Amino acid sequence: MEKNIAISQRESYHPGQFTEFLWWLATAEKEILVDSVVDRNRYKIIGMTVLATWAFASFTWTYFFSTIVDSVFGAGFGFVHGFYHPYHRPGADKGITKFNKRKLAPLLFRGLLAVTIGTFMAQPAVLYMFDKEIKLQTSLDNEQKKMLKQQELVTLYKAPKEALTKKNEALRSELDLKYEAVQNARNNFLAETDGSGGSGKVGIKDIALAKKTEYQKLDNEYQALLKGYQPQLDSNDAALKEIDQKIKAEEANFLLYLNNGFLTRVEALTNLLKNHPALQFRYYLIVFILMLIELMPGNSKNNLAIGQLR
């Protein structure tokens, strides 16, 4: 009687290059899987999950570096960094073999590595999904930062500006009082000369001359006082102007640091979550789903490893 032989075993199996690549991603040995019909597709599916996470990692790393470096080189560096992603899996999974007596440590390390990378890579993906909302929130946050910076600068330079302003007010107040006395003396002199005040006599008389002398004396004192105070007033005004220029310069420099980078977007996303409670559940759900994408290959390999432990 003829033996019942499986169709796949009647002829030698020759996997394609892509299948061998998927097996390699799944850390499977080609020589074993060629003769193992049951495990061929199993490891092929595991390799597909690793390939999917590779593509996901390349996308997230590329987007991450594009928010930091405004150049094609930065985005390309992200793709290259994502290219490393499938290599740490075989390295970590190689420790999970039937010859390794301590299989729990590699499993824990593999799980910790997957959770850490998955959590980080979920962040750029979420930022990309909520890009429009985050840009709007970023602009609002930057405006708020600009207002806070202005308030800080005003507070910082408030004391020296108040000191200089008080000095000028004191000097100008003294000058105004002196000038008011000069004006009164001048008005008294003019009233005496036209007969509208004083003795009532028109012309330059003894009383008018005395008032003229008093007026000239006060005017000379005022001019001397103004000449002595003017340099100090000019110096104080220049110092106040310099402070205003410093404030404007620091505000302009601060505007250069306002950006739309990765940390700024993360901060904007945090503010969005605070101000929109309805978004919180969806955000954490998306992060959980994206993290599961990273954990899928690890779960598959861990299940196989647990089977080996049993």
Side-chain angles (χ1 to χ4, degrees):
M1 297 178 61
E2 295 182 359
K3 295 181 179 180
N4 292 329
I5 302 175
I7 296 176
S8 58
Q9 293 179 350
R10 291 177 184 177
E11 298 178 357
S12 58
Y13 178 72
H14 299 285
Q17 293 183 350
F18 184 68
T19 301
E20 292 181 4
F21 176 66
L22 294 179
W23 287 350
W24 176 80
L25 290 177
T27 66
E29 300 295 339
K30 171 186 172 183
E31 293 76 12
I32 298 176
L33 291 183
V34 169
D35 298 328
S36 179
V37 181
V38 178
D39 292 332
R40 288 177 188 172
N41 290 332
R42 181 183 300 174
Y43 280 94
K44 191 174 181 179
I45 293 173
I46 295 175
M48 288 293 294
T49 59
V50 176
L51 183 62
T53 55
W54 180 6
F56 176 66
S58 298
F59 167 76
T60 53
W61 279 109
T62 300
Y63 180 74
F64 170 73
F65 281 105
S66 66
T67 60
I68 299 177
V69 183
D70 295 332
S71 65
V72 180
F73 174 78
F77 184 76
F79 179 80
V80 172
H81 198 73
F83 182 76
Y84 158 77
H85 190 73
Y87 289 91
H88 72 76
R89 294 183 180 279
D93 294 339
K94 282 299 183 180
I96 307 174
T97 63
K98 63 180 180 180
F99 302 104
N100 189 357
K101 296 182 180 180
R102 297 181 179 179
K103 296 183 175 65
L104 184 60
L107 285 174
L108 291 177
F109 174 75
R110 178 67 185 83
L112 179 62
L113 183 65
V115 170
T116 303
I117 297 178
T119 304
F120 174 79
M121 290 197 307
Q123 194 71 50
V126 172
L127 294 179
Y128 179 79
M129 295 174 66
F130 296 100
D131 184 61
K132 293 182 179 179
E133 292 80 3
I134 289 174
K135 285 183 178 179
L136 177 60
Q137 185 64 39
T138 300
S139 63
L140 296 176
D141 292 344
N142 287 338
E143 287 296 324
Q144 187 175 5
K145 291 177 183 177
K146 185 169 31 174
M147 294 175 61
L148 290 176
K149 183 64 176 180
Q150 291 174 349
Q151 294 176 0
E152 290 176 358
L153 290 174
V154 170
T155 304
L156 179 63
Y157 292 100
K158 181 179 180 180
K161 287 188 69 175
E162 287 182 349
L164 292 171
T165 302
K166 287 181 179 179
K167 289 181 180 179
N168 280 354
E169 289 177 353
L171 294 176
R172 288 194 174 98
S173 178
E174 188 175 350
L175 288 172
D176 290 341
L177 290 175
K178 197 68 175 179
Y179 183 74
E180 185 179 357
V182 173
Q183 286 294 100
N184 291 333
R186 181 176 178 275
N187 292 333
N188 291 335
F189 165 66
L190 294 177
E192 188 67 33
T193 56
D194 60 14
S196 60
S199 62
K201 297 179 181 180
V202 180
I204 303 297
K205 301 298 181 179
D206 295 338
I207 298 177
L209 291 175
K211 290 184 176 181
K212 178 181 180 182
T213 303
E214 181 66 19
Y215 157 65
Q216 290 178 344
K217 177 184 176 184
L218 292 175
D219 184 62
N220 291 334
E221 292 177 356
Y222 170 76
Q223 294 298 330
L225 189 65
L226 179 63
K227 185 177 180 180
Y229 284 175
Q230 192 62 47
Q232 190 172 357
L233 288 171
D234 294 340
S235 177
N236 293 339
D237 289 337
L240 289 171
K241 186 177 180 180
E242 184 180 357
I243 291 176
D244 291 336
Q245 290 177 349
K246 285 183 179 180
I247 293 175
K248 291 181 179 179
E250 292 188 20
E251 288 178 352
N253 292 332
F254 180 75
L255 293 179
L256 298 177
Y257 293 105
L258 294 178
N259 57 73
N260 196 28
F262 181 77
L263 293 180
T264 304
R265 297 186 186 189
V266 171
E267 182 182 4
L269 179 59
T270 304
N271 293 333
L272 276 175
L273 294 175
K274 291 180 180 178
N275 301 327
H276 300 82
L279 182 63
Q280 295 180 6
F281 173 76
R282 292 161 181 81
Y283 164 75
Y284 292 114
L285 180 62
I286 291 173
V287 170
F288 179 73
I289 292 174
L290 294 176
M291 191 172 66
L292 285 181
I293 295 176
E294 167 65 21
L295 294 176
M296 282 191 307
N299 291 335
S300 301
K301 287 296 296 180
N302 291 343
N303 290 335
L304 289 176
I306 292 172
Q308 293 175 358
L309 290 172
R310 292 176 180 176

